[in-house]
C-alpha cells in the first residue's frame, strides 16, 4: 500500500535531515519515493546539493525524486478557476494583488496539502516523505481542511440556488461578487476534495506523523504539547526521533553538565512517549549536507529497523452508549486539565486545549442530548451526554 510519512518538529531540531534519511532508506529499498518539503524555508536543495525549481526534481538518486513545493505556483497552475474567483474577490475588496495570499490564513497550507493528495492519488510513488514546517505551522496546515470544511458546511448549505439569489444582492450591497456557476462548481469540488483530504490524512493505514525533537527543556515541553494537539485533531503519531544526542565518551569536561541535562530530558521524553517507537540520533561532528552525510543517519539509526511499517498507536475519538445516554472519548495525552475547556454549540461539541480549538460535529442521534459532565484523566477527555441536560455554556473538564 502507498504511504505518506509527515515529519514535523520545532524549528531547528533537524527534521529535514531525518526526513531525508528516511527518503534515502526508502529509495535504497527499491521503492519509488518522493521527498517533498512544505516548509517555505526549503533546504532539500541544500541537503542534496541540488538547485531546485518549482516542479519535481527527478532521479536525484535511484528511485528518489525531490520536490520543494511552492504554494503560489500550485495555486495558480493547479486550481485556476478557484484562483480566478479569488482574484475577482480581492479586486472587489480593493486588493488587486493576488500574490498576497496571506489575507486568507491557511490558504497556502491548504493548497500544499491538496497538491500532496493529488500526487498520492496519481500512484506514481509508493512512499511520500513530507518535510513539514515547524510544528505550529504544521498544526495549522493539518487542521485547516477540517476547519474549512466545517465553515463551508455552514456557509454553502443551499448550493447554487443561494448563489443565484444572493449574487445580485452581494454585488449591490456588499460590493463583493459571488462565485459564478463555474466557480461554484469548483467550490463544490473543493469541498469534496477537503473531505477526501481529511480521510487521507487521518487514515492510519496511509498516513503517519513523526515528531523530531532534541533533549532540551523548552523543546521537550513543546513536543509534549504538540503531541496533544495532534491527537486533538485525531492524527496518527507513530514515532518520535530524539536528535543530537551527545556521545557519553565525549571526553571533554565542558560537556559534563550538558550530558547530565541531556540524560534527564531523554528520560523525560521516554516517559512521556513510552507507547511510541523512539529513535535516538547522535550528534554529528559535521554539517549534515550531501548524500554521504545523510547516509550516516541511515546507517547509525535506521538500518535494520522497520521504520516504514504501518503502526496505529494513538487512539481515535469514539462515541459510546451508556445507560443514560452517550459518552465521547477524545485522546489528549500530556494535557493540562486547567487548560482544557469545552462547550456545546448547536450541533457541535467545541473543545479548546491551550491555543487550539476543534469543533467536533455530533451524530444526529445526539442532537437531542446535552452535555451533562466531563472529566479529564489518564490522557483522555470523557464527555457525557444525557437527554434534558441544558448545559451549553463553557465548562472545564473536572
Amino acid at each position: 500500500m502507498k504511504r505518506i510519512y509527515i515529519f514535523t518538529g520545532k524549528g531547528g531540531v533537524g527534521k529535514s535531515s531525518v526526513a531525508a534519511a528516511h527518503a534515502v532508506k526508502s529509495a535504497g529499498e527499491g521503492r519509488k519515493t518522493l521527498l517533498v518539503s512544505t516548509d517555505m524555508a526549503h533546504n532539500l536543495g541544500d541537503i542534496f546539493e541540488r538547485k531546485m525549481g518549482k516542479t519535481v526534481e527527478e532521479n536525484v538518486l535511484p528511485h528518489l525524486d525531490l520536490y520543494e513545493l511552492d504554494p503560489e505556483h500550485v495555486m495558480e497552475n493547479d486550481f485556476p478557476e478557484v484562483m480566478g474567483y479569488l482574484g475577482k474577490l480581492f479586486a472587489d475588496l480593493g486588493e488587486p494583488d493576488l500574490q498576497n495570499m496571506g489575507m486568507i490564513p491557511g490558504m497556502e497550507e491548504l493548497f500544499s496539502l491538496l497538491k500532496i493528495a493529488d500526487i498520492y492519488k496519481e500512484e506514481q510513488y509508493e512512499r511520500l516523505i513530507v518535510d513539514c514546517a515547524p510544528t505550529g505551522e504544521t498544526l495549522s496546515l493539518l487542521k485547516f481542511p477540517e476547519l474549512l470544511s466545517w465553515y463551508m458546511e455552514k456557509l454553502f448549505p443551499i448550493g447554487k440556488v443561494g448563489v443565484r439569489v444572493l449574487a445580485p444582492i452581494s454585488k449591490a450591497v456588499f460590493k463583493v461578487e459571488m462565485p459564478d456557476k463555474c466557480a461554484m462548481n469548483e467550490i463544490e469540488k473543493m469541498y469534496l476534495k477537503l473531505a477526501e483530504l481529511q480521510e487521507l490524512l487521518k487514515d492510519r493505514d496511509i498516513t503517519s506523523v513523526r515528531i523530531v525533537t532534541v533533549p532540551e527543556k523548552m523543546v521537550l515541553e513543546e513536543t509534549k504539547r504538540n503531541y496533544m494537539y495532534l491527537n486533538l485533531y485525531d492524527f496518527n503519531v507513530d514515532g518520535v526521533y530524539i536528535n543530537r544526542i551527545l556521545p557519553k565518551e565525549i571526553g571533554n569536561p565542558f560537556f559534563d553538565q550538558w550530558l547530565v541535562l541531556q540524560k534527564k530530558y531523554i528520560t523525560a521524553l521516554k516517559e512521556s512517549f513510552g507507547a511510541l517507537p523512539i529513535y535516538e540520533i547522535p550528534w554529528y561532528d559535521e554539517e549534515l549536507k550531501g548524500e554521504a552525510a545523510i547516509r550516516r543517519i541511515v546507517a547509525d539509526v535506521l538500518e535494520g529497523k522497520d521504520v516504514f511499517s504501518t503502526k496505529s498507536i494513538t487512539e481515535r475519538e469514539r462515541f459510546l452508549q451508556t445507560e443514560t445516554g452517550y459518552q465521547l472519548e477524545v485522546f489528549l495525552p500530556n494535557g493540562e486539565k486547567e487548560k482544557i475547556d469545552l462547550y456545546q454549540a448547536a450541533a457541535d461539541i467545541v473543545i479548546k486545549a491551550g491555543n487550539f480549538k476543534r469543533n467536533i460535529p455530533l451524530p444526529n442521534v445526539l442532537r437531542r442530548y446535552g452535555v451533562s459532565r466531563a472529566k479529564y484523566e489518564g490522557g483522555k477527555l470523557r464527555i457525557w451526554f444525557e437527554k434534558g441536560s441544558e448545559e451549553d455554556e463553557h465548562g472545564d473538564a473536572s
Side-chain angles (χ1 to χ4, degrees):
M1 175 182 283
K2 304 184 306 300
R3 296 272 294 155
I4 300 173
Y5 303 88
I6 297 174
F7 286 82
T8 184
K10 184 177 171 62
V13 298
K15 57 183 176 51
S16 297
S17 299
V18 177
H22 282 74
V24 168
K25 177 176 170 61
S26 176
E29 294 176 356
R31 303 297 185 94
K32 185 64 174 174
T33 304
L34 177 67
L35 174 59
V36 53
S37 170
T38 66
D39 189 347
M40 290 309 294
H42 296 304
N43 60 2
L44 296 186
D46 294 333
I47 290 175
F48 286 91
E49 300 176 310
R50 285 285 189 112
K51 183 175 177 58
M52 302 291 293
K54 296 181 183 295
T55 56
V56 174
E57 183 78 7
E58 298 181 341
N59 299 317
V60 173
L61 294 174
H63 308 293
L64 177 62
D65 296 346
L66 301 183
Y67 185 20
E68 291 187 339
L69 200 151
D70 182 338
E72 283 191 7
H73 181 78
V74 169
M75 287 186 287
E76 293 171 9
N77 289 276
D78 292 77
F79 304 95
E81 279 106 347
V82 174
M83 290 305 297
Y85 164 62
L86 289 174
K88 202 160 187 58
L89 175 63
F90 283 176
D92 287 339
L93 293 173
E95 182 62 52
D97 185 6
L98 191 58
Q99 301 302 313
N100 186 14
M101 290 303 296
M103 286 183 62
I104 307 178
M107 191 59 68
E108 290 186 347
E109 290 91 342
L110 172 65
F111 281 101
S112 296
L113 283 180
L114 288 172
K115 181 62 177 176
I116 290 170
D118 282 350
I119 292 172
Y120 175 85
K121 287 184 288 187
E122 287 171 0
E123 300 189 346
Q124 183 180 352
Y125 299 98
E126 292 180 76
R127 291 171 181 160
L128 297 182
I129 314 290
V130 184
D131 171 28
C132 272
T135 32
E137 296 173 52
T138 299
L139 287 163
S140 297
L141 181 148
L142 292 175
K143 75 177 184 180
F144 192 73
E146 178 175 306
L147 182 64
L148 186 57
S149 289
W150 184 85
Y151 277 112
M152 290 181 76
E153 286 181 5
K154 310 299 179 187
L155 294 174
F156 298 110
I158 53 178
K160 297 185 180 67
V161 175
V163 172
R164 206 162 48 238
V165 172
L166 292 175
I169 300 175
S170 66
K171 186 69 175 178
V173 178
F174 299 107
K175 303 294 189 288
V176 173
E177 183 169 325
M178 292 290 287
D180 59 20
K181 185 176 180 180
C182 177
M184 190 61 194
N185 284 336
E186 287 300 316
I187 289 174
E188 290 174 338
K189 289 176 188 175
M190 177 163 283
Y191 179 80
L192 294 176
K193 277 181 172 288
L194 289 172
E196 292 175 355
L197 184 57
Q198 287 184 67
E199 287 300 313
L200 183 69
L201 294 175
K202 296 187 179 186
D203 188 329
R204 280 151 162 71
D205 291 327
I206 295 175
T207 302
S208 294
V209 179
R210 309 279 175 88
I211 300 176
V212 182
T213 186
V214 293
E216 298 175 9
K217 180 174 176 55
M218 288 185 64
V219 182
L220 164 66
E221 295 304 319
E222 181 171 322
T223 302
K224 288 164 64 177
R225 284 195 300 273
N226 288 326
Y227 180 52
M228 178 188 67
Y229 295 145
L230 286 163
N231 278 278
L232 173 63
Y233 285 91
D234 200 25
F235 295 108
N236 183 37
V237 181
D238 69 353
V240 173
Y241 297 76
I242 308 175
N243 198 13
R244 297 177 186 157
I245 299 176
L246 290 168
K248 296 176 182 177
E249 64 283 354
I250 196 167
N252 187 331
F254 175 80
F255 291 100
D256 287 351
Q257 185 60 30
W258 203 348
L259 284 166
V260 171
L261 289 174
Q262 279 208 344
K263 182 178 179 180
K264 173 184 175 182
Y265 297 132
I266 290 170
T267 299
L269 282 163
K270 289 181 176 179
E271 289 174 350
S272 297
F273 301 101
L276 302 176
I278 296 177
Y279 305 90
E280 299 183 25
I281 304 171
W283 184 297
Y284 292 104
D285 56 359
E286 64 174 349
E287 183 181 7
L288 292 174
K289 188 175 180 180
E291 180 189 345
I294 295 301
R295 288 194 183 279
R296 289 187 67 180
I297 301 178
V298 177
D300 295 342
V301 182
L302 308 182
E303 203 65 57
K305 296 184 177 69
D306 187 10
V307 295
F308 296 113
S309 62
T310 300
K311 303 182 186 73
S312 181
I313 295 170
T314 52
E315 300 183 43
R316 299 190 73 103
E317 63 197 40
R318 57 177 181 163
F319 289 92
L320 304 170
Q321 190 164 10
T322 66
E323 291 182 1
T324 56
Y326 291 86
Q327 180 190 117
L328 169 62
E329 285 187 354
V330 180
F331 189 50
L332 286 178
N334 304 314
E336 299 177 55
K337 184 165 66 175
E338 62 275 11
K339 293 184 179 180
I340 298 174
D341 186 24
L342 65 95
Y343 60 94
Q344 188 171 349
D348 296 336
I349 191 76
V350 183
I351 301 174
K352 295 181 69 176
N355 296 324
F356 286 85
K357 180 178 74 171
R358 183 184 177 200
N359 293 59
I360 300 178
L362 297 175
N364 288 332
V365 69
L366 286 182
R367 303 292 167 87
R368 296 173 286 112
Y369 289 73
V371 175
S372 60
R373 61 191 175 100
K375 190 175 186 65
Y376 178 74
E377 63 179 1
K380 287 184 181 179
L381 175 62
R382 292 180 173 87
I383 306 165
W384 283 267
F385 298 84
E386 295 180 4
K387 280 187 177 179
S389 295
E390 300 298 328
E391 181 180 336
D392 59 358
E393 301 297 323
H394 285 263
D396 294 324
S398 60

